[in-house]
Amino acid sequence: MARILAVDDSPAMRQMVSVTLRSAGHDVVEAFDGRNALDIAKKEAPVDLVITDVNMPNMDGITLVKEL
């Protein structure tokens, strides 16, 4: 089981990704943009994988990956 951070500004897309990953037995943490994801990554338990959208407000996915 992996701990996965799903990052997308679309609630519907986050839900679809999360439901699919949880049904496969993974622990999923959701974030609504890159800045929120970075805060979660710094404050919570480490994640094994990040799945991120590229185009998001506040911080895009590419900047998020660079910061992580």
Side-chain angles (χ1 to χ4, degrees):
M1 175 176 80
R3 182 172 166 86
I4 301 171
L5 177 58
V7 189
D8 201 301
D9 57 324
S10 166
M13 187 60 73
R14 277 196 318 271
Q15 181 182 18
M16 181 181 69
V17 169
S18 295
V19 166
T20 302
L21 293 171
R22 285 184 180 118
S23 71
H26 300 291
D27 180 23
V28 181
V29 180
E30 297 181 24
F32 54 83
D33 66 19
R35 189 167 311 269
N36 178 232
L38 195 57
D39 288 343
I40 289 170
K42 288 180 178 180
K43 294 176 183 172
E44 294 190 20
V47 296
D48 301 301
L49 176 71
V50 176
I51 298 175
T52 184
D53 185 10
V54 174
N55 295 317
M56 296 179 290
N58 300 317
M59 181 186 289
D60 63 48
I62 293 175
T63 303
L64 169 63
V65 171
K66 288 177 184 177
E67 291 290 324
L68 288 171

